[in-house]
Every structure is written in C-alpha cells, then in structure tokens.
Amino acid sequence: MTQRPRPLVMGIVNVTPDSFSDGGRHASAQAAIAHGHALVEAGADWLDIGGESTRPGAEPVSEADELARVIPVIEELARTNMPLSIDTMKPGVARAAIQAGASMWNDVTALGGPGALGVAAQLGCQICLMHMQGEPRTMQADPHYDDVAGEVEAFLLARAAAAMKAGVSRENIWLDPGIGFGKTLVHNLALMGALPRLAGLGFPILFGASRKRFIASLDNDAPADQRLGGSIAAALHAAQAGAAMIRVHDVRETAQALKVRAAIQASG
Ligand code: 9MG
C-alpha cells in the first residue's frame, strides 16, 4: 500500500431531511447536486452520498425512499467524473447506486446486512467496512468495551476476512474505526490514539470525525455548526497517523489544513 503525501478528502452530501449537521438543507435532489458541485469546486477528491441518516437516534427509512433520494443525485454527479461513494446499509441501494455511477460502497454495518457480502463481491467496487457497536437508533445508549482499540481492530479484520472469503478483492477494501458509532468520548479518544496501529493493518483507513458530538463534549457543548476547529484537529491527527481518506463536511478548510501540513512535512 503506497502512502500519499496527504490523505484524500471525501466530501459529505446528505440527501436526508434529518441530517444532524445541515438541518436538512440538502434534502432535495437539486440542493444535494448543487452541494456536490460546490464540494468538487472546494477541492474534494471523493463525494459520499447518503439518503438515510446514521446519526445517533436516527430512524430507518424504506429502501424505496432511500433510492428515490440518492439515485438522481448520483446520476447527475457522476457526470462530473468525480469518484462517488454510496453511504448505505442496504445492498439493494448499493447495487442501484453502483449502476448509476458510484464506485464505492460505504457501509456503516461493514456488510452485516442480509446478502450484503455476496452483493459486494458481485459489484466489484471499493468497499468501506466501518465499525459500529449496535445500530444508529440506539447505539449511544450504553456503549461498552473492555479494550476498544483491540475490539475494533479484531472486528475490522474479521469483516475484511469475511468480505474476501465472499469474493471481495483485497485491493477494494477500506477500514474505518467508526468514530461516534456506539462509542463514548473515552472510546473515541482511545480509538483516535490507536489510529497508527489501525493504519498498519494493511488496508487503507477512511476516517470520519467531522462535526461529531465528541467535539462538543470537549468544548462546552458547541453546536454542530461550530465544530470546525475540532474537526480539523482530528483530520490533521488522522493524517499524521496514516489515514488514507478523511470524510468531512468542510472540504475547503480541511483540504487547506492538509495541504499546509503536507508542505511542512515535505520541507524536511
Ligand atoms: C455515514 N457516516 C457517518 N460517519 C461516518 C464515518 O465516520 N465513517 C464512514 N465510513 N461513514 C460515516
């Protein structure tokens, strides 16, 4: 696995009325498409498009609703030639999204859904396997680990092995520790501290901490739209630790911070 001078930046395009960080502003397809174009302009390397919120407490949406939200957005954004990722827990949505032009399946259940492993193998696309304890609706109720870094590492390696056994090629697998997914502040900080170890597992790491709740826990309950500083601090830490891609809302600011960090590193 070759290491880049700086991680790629994946911009988040939510097509959900209940998204925790943008208040549903991009709920309509047209608004989401415009937002995607703006993120490309701001320097995104990838776009991650999601039609079902995975924020703590979020209620599931039907497959039909999710498809109606994301497919028109993917079809349109695919015309930009920007690599697109579909953020979905549903194999049927992943299949339609890849047919519409996406090239990565970002699955917060790490292909845990019925039939997901087989569909992933058939699709032949990039796959992000993320760690989550529980499910979005209830995951923050009482997360528990004896050794969070060890357990997340073991889970991710087991899911990668299951994916490869099902026919997913090793080169297509990304791993993600799932910051904020069934984790307390202490768990999130320990996982971020363990990122160099996770980055040494032999798979590229996708890392997402943008505007997450743990930042508010460290800064006076700052609301989601006032967590940019914490988001960039976490992104720089992930870059230092060897993450290959950072998933963010604030593409321009994060890309700039990563460029400055890379230039400082390159200067010797
Ligand atoms: C959908 N989603 C929300 N947060 C995420 C994160 O940290 N990683 C990945 N892969 N997906 C996420």
Side-chain angles (χ1 to χ4, degrees), residues 11-244:
I12 300 169
V13 180
N14 288 315
V15 203
T16 53
D18 62 343
S19 166
F20 77 101
S21 63
D22 65 13
R25 272 184 292 119
H26 304 295
S28 79
Q30 284 316 310
I33 291 163
H35 187 59
H37 284 300
L39 295 185
V40 173
E41 179 64 25
D45 301 294
W46 277 78
L47 297 178
D48 188 36
I49 297 150
E52 177 176 32
S53 175
T54 52
R55 70 178 163 71
E59 293 293 336
V61 302
S62 73
E63 181 157 330
D65 284 350
E66 198 178 333
L67 284 167
R69 288 177 188 177
V70 296
I71 297 304
V73 175
I74 291 173
E75 283 172 348
E76 188 57 33
L77 291 176
R79 292 149 61 99
T80 64
N81 288 328
M82 170 75 22
L84 304 179
S85 158
I86 174 68
D87 155 23
T88 185
M89 298 180 265
K90 299 188 184 72
V93 174
R95 188 189 292 283
I98 298 300
Q99 277 162 4
S103 48
M104 176 185 280
W105 179 1
N106 173 25
D107 185 359
V108 300
T109 74
L111 302 179
L117 285 166
V119 171
Q122 278 170 12
L123 293 176
C125 61
Q126 308 277 307
I127 305 283
C128 179
L129 302 171
M130 199 200 78
H131 177 273
M132 167 167 60
Q133 188 177 87
E135 39 136 352
R137 208 168 42 83
T138 53
M139 66 190 175
Q140 289 306 110
D142 187 23
H144 176 83
Y145 303 82
D146 293 322
D147 164 16
V148 67
E151 288 169 46
V152 168
E153 174 181 327
F155 171 86
L156 292 175
L157 286 176
R159 295 311 295 163
M164 289 187 286
K165 190 166 175 222
V168 175
S169 84
R170 185 183 181 93
E171 295 69 50
N172 284 347
I173 296 177
W174 297 64
L175 303 181
D176 185 328
I179 298 300
F181 283 81
K183 284 140 193 133
T184 64
L185 172 63
V186 169
H187 299 142
N188 287 318
L189 295 175
L191 271 178
M192 285 186 260
L195 270 183
R197 167 176 162 188
L198 297 177
L201 294 177
F203 297 91
I205 297 294
L206 174 55
F207 174 82
S210 182
R211 301 188 188 174
K212 288 196 179 175
R213 169 76 216 165
F214 81 91
I215 298 169
S217 308
L218 295 168
D219 184 25
N220 236 0
D221 257 335
D225 64 356
Q226 288 171 35
R227 298 178 190 165
L228 177 59
S231 303
I232 290 181
L236 292 174
H237 168 74
Q240 186 68 30

Side-chain angles (χ1 to χ4, degrees), residues 2 27 42 140 147 251 257 264:
T2 48
Q140 289 306 110
D147 164 16
V251 165
I264 295 168

